[in-house]
């Protein structure tokens, strides 16, 4: 076997090992259950498919590297299929693929927490009546001031296009869509205690936004991690959850404001089980649900820390 074919065999073997490395990493995530930190449950079939494909491609590459027949490796097309470049460049290229595998096995898996929430901003309730809090509000305010100084007339004309409040009617005009939340509201009205679970979290938050006045004074039970905005009073905290549609890249933070004299006793990222009386208040000019605390219990991080849309 000439030098070119030896080179091709070696690189086929390395590529096969890398593909099998990704397979083992994905398998480790699945077996340990830590894959729940990165993707929504509905994406699991794609993960199983990817695992099988990586294994097959890895095995094929390794088999190719063991072939002894020159013709099996050289396609006789007249082109040079060997990997060009110096050894340093080749090592650098393979390192790009090897590094994620090594880091995936070495680095600890961690659930999204309040530090991520602070960077992304938090939506109160279901988010349909509000907009996410902006961690860069100061910078955006400065930009608006500069726009006003440059051209006041154009600035004022643009306000109507950019600063309108959200309207529930703009989002919930489909008859079938409305009907689902009307039926859920009727079901919740018959209950003295509204219990928010992982399965119904976003649905109940949406109902409370749409029909908040119907549930004032009811007891609300909810679980989440403690989070605070910088401008909060000492008696305020948020019970928050990350909601994920497909993967961690699209995760958004949803929270419910809680007021209590005990708020200062609980640090950010502490998981708590909260019950209290439902009320409403305003935050940044938007109406949001508010819980007057009755009872709070520190709990362990749940097996599934994220919530997901029900798509019903």
């Amino acid at each position: 076997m000439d030098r070119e074919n030896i080179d091709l065999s070696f690189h086929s073997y390395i590529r096969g090992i890398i593909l099998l490395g990704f397979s083992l990493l994905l398998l480790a995530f699945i077996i340990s259950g830590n894959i729940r930190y990165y993707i929504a449950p509905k994406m699991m079939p794609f993960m199983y498919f990817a695992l099988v494909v990586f294994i097959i491609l890895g095995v094929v590459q390794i088999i190719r590297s063991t072939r002894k027949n020159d013709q099996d490796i050289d396609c006789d097309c007249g082109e040079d299929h060997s990997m060009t470049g110096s050894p340093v460049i080749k090592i650098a290229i393979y390192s790009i693929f090897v590094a994620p595998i090594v880091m995936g096995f070495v680095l600890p898996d961690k659930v999204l927490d309040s530090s991520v929430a602070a960077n992304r901003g938090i939506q109160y309730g279901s988010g349909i009546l509000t907009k996410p809090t902006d961690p860069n509000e100061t910078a955006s305010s400065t930009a608006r001031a500069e726009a006003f100084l440059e051209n006041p007339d154009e600035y004022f004309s643009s306000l109507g296009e950019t600063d309108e409040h959200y309207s529930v009617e703009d989002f919930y005009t489909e008859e079938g869509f409305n009907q689902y939340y009307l039926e859920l509201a009727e079901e919740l009205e018959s209950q003295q205690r509204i219990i928010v679970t992982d399965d119904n979290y976003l649905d109940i938050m949406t109902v409370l936004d749409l029909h908040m006045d119907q549930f004032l004074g009811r007891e609300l039970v909810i679980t989440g991690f403690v989070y605070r905005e910088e401008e909060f009073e000492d008696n305020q905290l948020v019970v928050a959850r990350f909601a994920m549609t497909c993967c961690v890249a699209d995760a958004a933070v949803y929270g419910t404001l809680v007021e209590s004299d005990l708020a200062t006793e609980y640090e950010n990222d502490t998981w708590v089980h909260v019950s209290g009386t439902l009320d409403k208040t305003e935050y940044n000019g938007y109406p949001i649900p508010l819980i007057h605390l009755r009872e709070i219990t520190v709990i362990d991080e749940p097996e599934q820390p994220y919530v997901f849309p029900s798509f019903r």
Side-chain angles (χ1 to χ4, degrees):
M1 186 180 294
D2 59 31
R3 183 171 181 177
E4 179 182 336
N5 286 339
I6 292 176
D7 185 65
L8 286 171
S9 296
F10 174 76
H11 289 295
S12 291
Y13 180 77
I14 295 298
R15 292 163 187 167
I17 293 298
I18 290 174
L19 286 167
L20 292 180
F22 277 113
S23 303
L24 291 175
L25 179 60
L26 188 54
L27 184 61
F29 281 148
I30 293 173
I31 292 176
S32 67
N34 290 340
I35 197 167
R36 71 185 186 277
Y37 292 141
Y38 305 105
I39 65 167
K42 70 173 186 175
M43 302 300 293
M44 285 305 298
F46 299 100
M47 296 300 101
Y48 294 131
F49 175 77
L51 175 62
V52 172
V53 170
F54 280 148
I55 292 174
I56 292 174
L57 292 178
V59 171
V60 168
Q61 286 292 321
I62 290 177
I63 291 176
R64 286 185 61 193
S65 71
T66 61
R67 290 179 178 172
K68 303 299 183 181
N69 189 345
D70 291 355
Q71 298 299 323
D72 289 338
I73 300 175
D74 190 355
C75 65
D76 291 331
C77 64
E79 297 291 336
D80 182 9
H81 296 293
S82 60
M83 188 173 180
T84 59
S86 67
V88 174
I89 293 177
K90 294 176 182 179
I91 292 174
I93 292 174
Y94 282 130
S95 297
I96 295 174
F97 298 96
V98 173
I101 300 174
V102 174
M103 289 189 293
F105 280 111
V106 173
L107 297 180
D109 300 299
K110 184 181 179 183
V111 67
L112 298 178
D113 57 17
S114 61
S115 62
V116 180
N119 291 328
R120 296 193 179 188
I122 186 170
Q123 302 182 75
Y124 290 91
S126 66
I128 63 172
L129 299 181
T130 66
K131 59 181 180 180
T133 55
D134 186 1
N136 301 311
E137 185 66 32
T138 302
S140 63
S141 298
T142 302
R144 288 197 295 267
E146 292 175 352
F148 169 76
L149 293 174
E150 289 179 6
N151 193 329
D153 293 335
E154 183 178 341
Y155 172 79
F156 282 120
S157 66
S158 67
L159 288 180
E161 301 174 4
T162 59
D163 290 345
E164 294 181 354
H165 283 257
Y166 290 94
S167 170
V168 177
E169 288 77 11
D170 292 340
F171 291 93
Y172 297 93
T173 55
E174 294 290 338
E175 182 178 351
F177 201 65
N178 266 325
Q179 187 62 31
Y180 169 71
Y181 289 108
L182 285 171
E183 292 175 356
L184 182 55
E186 292 175 359
E187 178 184 336
L188 293 175
E189 271 195 301
S190 64
Q191 303 174 8
Q192 285 300 113
R193 303 171 74 232
I194 302 174
I195 301 176
V196 183
T197 67
D198 293 353
D199 294 331
N200 66 19
Y201 186 96
L202 293 176
D203 286 339
I204 289 185
M205 292 297 104
T206 302
V207 168
L208 293 181
D209 278 342
L210 293 173
H211 309 283
M212 193 181 305
D213 292 338
Q214 296 177 219
F215 300 99
L216 298 182
R218 297 289 183 88
E219 183 180 0
L220 185 73
V221 180
I222 192 168
T223 298
F225 64 91
V226 174
Y227 172 75
R228 291 177 178 83
E229 303 277 11
E230 290 184 0
E231 64 272 18
F232 272 13
E233 302 292 338
D234 289 341
N235 68 334
Q236 293 179 322
L237 60 83
V238 165
V239 177
R241 296 294 292 268
F242 277 90
M244 185 190 300
T245 302
C246 292
C247 65
V248 70
D250 63 31
V253 197
Y254 295 86
T256 305
L257 183 63
V258 177
E259 288 189 350
S260 169
D261 294 335
L262 302 175
T264 55
E265 298 181 11
Y266 301 93
E267 298 181 355
N268 280 0
D269 298 318
T270 303
W271 279 86
V272 292
H273 184 74
V274 168
S275 64
T277 305
L278 184 64
D279 198 355
K280 69 176 180 180
T281 187
E282 285 193 359
Y283 186 74
N284 290 338
Y286 296 98
I288 63 171
L290 168 68
I291 297 177
H292 294 293
L293 186 67
R294 286 184 182 176
E295 184 179 352
I296 182 169
T297 306
V298 176
I299 62 173
D300 293 330
E301 179 186 299
E303 182 177 349
Q304 178 51 266
Y306 306 135
V307 295
F308 309 94
S310 63
F311 297 110
R312 286 181 289 178

